[in-house]
């Protein structure tokens, strides 16, 4: 097996010597260049498993190297070496396609971690999830195919990634897929719902604590950053972080280190950070609810997950998959959808996206008769069941399930009042079976 070769580009002899010595101890071959011209000649003449380049060169800059590699040898990861404090430069390099960056003075532990991660990029994975059978992103529509291509490209980078999309569109699924295709795939993937952690426990949960650091801290406990070390940390609903925690998170990202509560020392951490929220994060920044500097750090690259209404051709495949999964879980055959039920689903806007589709099918699966789901078995919010382009004002919705339950409760209560609480007549009025109405009354607490 041939030794991997790394191209190192820097005009400072001491830096070249340090990089060459460190990589040599990792059993790697190196080629060196001290100018942009020399580097481009070597890149055109040879192939490399990794390139490390300084930002400032006597006859140009490292961004030219990044762009050249992206155009001519995109399989070669390139990492930028920047002066301490030049984070804007590093972020621009990541946006241009750089794999990662280092700051001067070079931390040798960080350098070795970066090199090891980069070299895993092009190693064959025996259990690689690249086969379509293992792809959890179901669909054949142009938006989902475009998303797959973007995921494949972004999985190779270490850049912080912001995944935007509506509630229920599959942002965590996308984050897991990025991790599974990345060189960190054999390391932990740690998802965190930022809105579910009480503010008083947040610092301890994120960074860990030492025994005795507060009442109830009976033992040392690692935080979420430590749990995700060498892997991927996914911060879902990041817009829900309180301002004080945003400051601490920004420092952890910048310093690549965390300090547990009760400790006087910082611990280095190596995580790929993925973030997501259903809110408009730029609008949150404009309104003063989210720090602009943190926004720029986590939003180096944005990946948009399309809503279900923009990929309607994927509905039949999604429906078959969801019903098959429900059937397997319940140990019974999957029901079939009538034409009217399919028409109802195809004409619905799905404000709750794939999650709402799953909930609607699970209810229908439970309530349908004779292994057949009809339009009457589907509960879909009446205010959005149309294909028109008029979108609803969702600004008052805090939680989709509560919102949908409230609409359902209002409709059922109105039907019962109009039929003088004759449940059989109310069920007929709503287009439901009596059994279905009883289920909904019990679920909503209206069966007294």
């Amino acid at each position: 097996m041939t030794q991997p070769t790394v191209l190192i580009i820097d005009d400072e002899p001491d830096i070249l010597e340090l990089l060459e010595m460190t990589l040599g101890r990792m059993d790697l071959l190196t080629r060196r260049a001290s100018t942009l011209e020399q580097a481009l000649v070597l890149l055109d003449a040879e192939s490399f498993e990794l390139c490390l380049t300084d930002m400032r060169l006597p006859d140009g800059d490292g961004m030219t190297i990044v762009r050249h590699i992206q155009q001519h040898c995109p399989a070669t990861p390139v990492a930028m070496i920047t002066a301490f404090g030049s984070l804007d430069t590093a972020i621009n390099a990541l946006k241009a396609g750089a794999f990662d960056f280092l700051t001067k003075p070079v931390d040798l532990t960080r350098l070795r971690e970066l090199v090891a991660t980069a070299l895993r990029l092009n190693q064959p994975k025996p259990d690689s999830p690249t086969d379509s059978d293992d792809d959890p992103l179901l669909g054949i529509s142009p938006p989902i195919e475009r998303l797959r291509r973007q995921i494949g490209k972004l999985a190779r980078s270490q850049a912080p990634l912001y995944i935007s999309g509506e509630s229920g569109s599959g942002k965590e699924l996308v984050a897991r897929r990025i991790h599974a295709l990345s060189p960190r795939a054999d390391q932990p993937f740690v998802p965190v719902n930022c809105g579910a952690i009480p503010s008083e426990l947040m610092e301890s949960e994120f960074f860990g604590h030492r025994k005795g650091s507060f009442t109830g801290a009976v033992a040392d406990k690692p935080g979420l950053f430590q749990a995700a070390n060498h892997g991927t940390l996914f911060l879902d609903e990041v817009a829900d972080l309180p301002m004080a925690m945003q400051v601490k998170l920004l420092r952890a990202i910048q310093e690549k280190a965390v300090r547990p509560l009760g400790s006087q020392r910082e611990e280095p951490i190596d995580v790929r950070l993925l973030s997501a929220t259903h809110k408009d994060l730029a609008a949150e920044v404009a309104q003063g609810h989210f720090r602009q500097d943190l926004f720029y750090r986590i939003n180096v690259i944005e990946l948009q997950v399309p809503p279900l209404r923009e990929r309607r051709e994927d509905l039949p495949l999604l429906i078959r998959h969801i019903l098959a999964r429900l059937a397997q879980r319940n140990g019974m055959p999957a029901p079939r959808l009538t034409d009217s039920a399919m028409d109802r689903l195809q004409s619905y806007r799905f404000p709750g996206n794939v999650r709402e589709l799953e909930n609607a099918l699970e209810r229908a699966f439970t309530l349908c008769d004779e292994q057949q789901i009809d339009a009457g078995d589907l509960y879909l919010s009446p205010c959005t069941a149309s294909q028109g382009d008029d979108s609803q004002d969702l600004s008052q919705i805090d939680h989709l399930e509560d919102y949908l339950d409230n609409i359902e409760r209002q409709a059922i209560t109105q039907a019962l009042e109009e039929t003088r609480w004759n449940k059989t007549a109310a069920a007929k009025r709503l287009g439901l079976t009596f059994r279905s109405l009883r289920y909904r009354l019990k679920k909503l607490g209206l069966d007294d």
Side-chain angles (χ1 to χ4, degrees):
M1 183 176 177
T2 57
Q3 288 176 282
T5 306
V6 181
L7 175 61
I8 50 179
I9 310 165
D10 203 298
D11 62 336
E12 296 182 49
D14 290 348
I15 296 289
L16 286 173
E17 190 76 25
L18 176 66
L19 295 175
E20 211 163 39
M21 191 182 309
T22 304
L23 297 178
R25 288 172 179 164
M26 297 177 70
D27 201 26
L28 300 173
L29 299 175
T30 56
R31 297 296 306 274
R32 59 160 70 185
S34 56
T35 66
L36 176 63
E37 183 180 4
Q38 291 174 8
L40 293 176
V41 169
L42 286 170
L43 284 167
D44 290 338
E46 303 177 36
S47 60
F48 299 94
E49 278 68 38
L50 173 64
C51 174
L52 300 172
T53 180
D54 191 18
M55 181 59 194
R56 297 177 181 274
L57 297 169
D59 53 344
D61 61 44
M63 292 295 288
T64 304
I65 300 290
V66 173
R67 288 189 286 266
H68 180 90
I69 287 176
Q70 283 291 299
Q71 184 174 356
H72 298 285
C73 41
T76 302
V78 53
M80 183 75 72
I81 303 172
T82 69
F84 179 77
S86 302
L87 288 174
D88 288 344
T89 300
I91 288 172
N92 288 334
L94 291 171
K95 288 181 176 179
F99 165 76
D100 207 343
F101 69 92
L102 291 166
T103 55
K104 294 181 180 180
V106 175
D107 181 293
L108 295 185
T109 300
R110 169 84 180 114
L111 170 64
R112 285 189 286 266
E113 288 174 346
L114 183 152
V115 171
T117 303
L119 294 179
R120 286 198 297 269
L121 273 174
N122 294 319
Q123 289 178 354
K125 301 185 182 79
D127 299 318
S128 173
T130 54
D131 293 337
S132 58
D133 290 345
D134 299 319
D135 189 351
L137 298 173
L138 299 176
I140 55 172
S141 63
I144 210 74
E145 291 290 0
R146 182 167 58 250
L147 180 63
R148 280 198 188 93
R149 290 193 298 271
Q150 291 172 326
I151 286 172
K153 182 177 181 181
L154 295 173
R156 295 177 57 85
S157 170
Q158 298 301 291
L161 184 63
Y162 170 55
I163 304 170
S164 63
E166 298 175 4
S167 287
S169 57
K171 297 185 290 296
E172 182 172 339
L173 198 66
V174 168
R176 289 183 181 275
R177 183 63 174 167
I178 290 169
H179 173 75
L181 293 175
S182 78
R184 298 175 180 263
D186 58 346
Q187 299 295 326
F189 174 87
V190 179
V192 186
N193 186 331
C194 298
I197 304 175
S199 57
E200 64 272 16
L201 299 178
M202 199 163 275
E203 187 172 356
S204 170
E205 286 294 314
F206 272 88
F207 307 135
H209 62 251
R210 293 284 176 261
K211 179 180 178 180
S213 56
F214 56 87
T215 303
V218 296
D220 289 355
K221 179 191 171 187
L224 295 163
F225 269 91
Q226 291 95 326
N229 202 23
H230 305 301
T232 302
L233 181 63
F234 174 53
L235 302 181
D236 198 7
E237 299 304 345
V238 70
D240 292 341
L241 286 172
M243 197 63 72
M245 190 60 204
Q246 291 179 31
V247 176
K248 294 179 172 67
L249 178 61
L250 177 64
R251 176 173 173 78
I253 295 171
Q254 288 178 337
E255 302 298 325
K256 297 184 183 294
V258 298
R259 187 170 69 183
L261 277 175
S263 174
Q264 301 302 312
R265 297 174 55 189
E266 287 194 330
E267 300 176 2
I269 46 101
D270 168 34
V271 299
R272 170 105 189 259
L273 190 67
L274 307 180
S275 307
T277 180
H278 72 281
K279 296 180 180 178
D280 183 340
L281 206 52
E284 294 292 304
V285 171
Q287 294 166 16
H289 300 153
F290 200 83
R291 290 182 63 97
Q292 187 174 49
D293 46 6
L294 179 58
F295 173 67
Y296 286 135
R297 290 312 313 274
I298 67 173
N299 189 28
V300 171
I301 300 172
E302 181 176 352
L303 179 63
Q304 293 185 330
V305 182
L308 184 53
R309 63 181 173 273
E310 291 182 5
R311 53 185 192 103
R312 292 186 181 277
E313 52 264 70
D314 294 334
L315 266 173
L317 180 61
L318 288 166
I319 290 167
R320 285 197 300 272
H321 174 78
I322 293 167
L323 290 178
R325 189 178 62 209
L326 290 170
Q328 183 179 27
R329 183 196 304 166
N330 291 278
M332 57 194 297
R336 75 172 192 87
L337 259 68
T338 64
D339 290 343
S340 61
M342 181 60 80
D343 289 344
R344 183 99 187 271
L345 291 171
Q346 288 281 9
S347 64
Y348 184 63
R349 285 187 59 82
F350 284 104
N353 293 291
V354 179
R355 187 184 300 139
E356 186 182 4
L357 174 64
E358 290 174 336
N359 291 341
L361 290 176
E362 186 166 8
R363 290 191 187 102
F365 183 94
T366 304
L367 300 171
C368 72
D369 296 318
E370 300 177 355
Q371 294 299 302
Q372 179 173 282
I373 295 176
D374 202 359
D377 299 313
L378 296 165
Y379 173 72
L380 301 171
S381 174
C383 67
T384 51
S386 75
Q387 267 185 310
D389 292 329
D390 296 329
S391 58
Q392 300 298 313
D393 179 12
L394 304 182
S395 62
Q396 303 304 313
I397 300 176
D398 294 322
H399 192 281
L400 178 65
E401 284 298 312
D402 293 342
Y403 173 72
L404 294 177
D405 285 347
N406 188 48
I407 292 174
E408 186 175 11
R409 185 179 290 106
Q410 289 175 359
I412 291 175
T413 302
Q414 182 178 338
L416 287 168
E417 289 174 347
E418 290 178 2
T419 58
R420 298 187 179 183
W421 292 85
N422 182 321
K423 294 179 182 177
T424 302
K428 186 176 180 181
R429 187 74 171 263
L430 293 166
L432 301 173
T433 63
F434 184 75
R435 178 185 168 203
S436 176
L437 179 62
R438 278 197 312 175
Y439 167 83
R440 294 166 195 271
L441 288 170
K442 184 175 181 181
K443 184 192 72 159
L444 297 169
L446 297 173
D447 58 338
D448 292 334

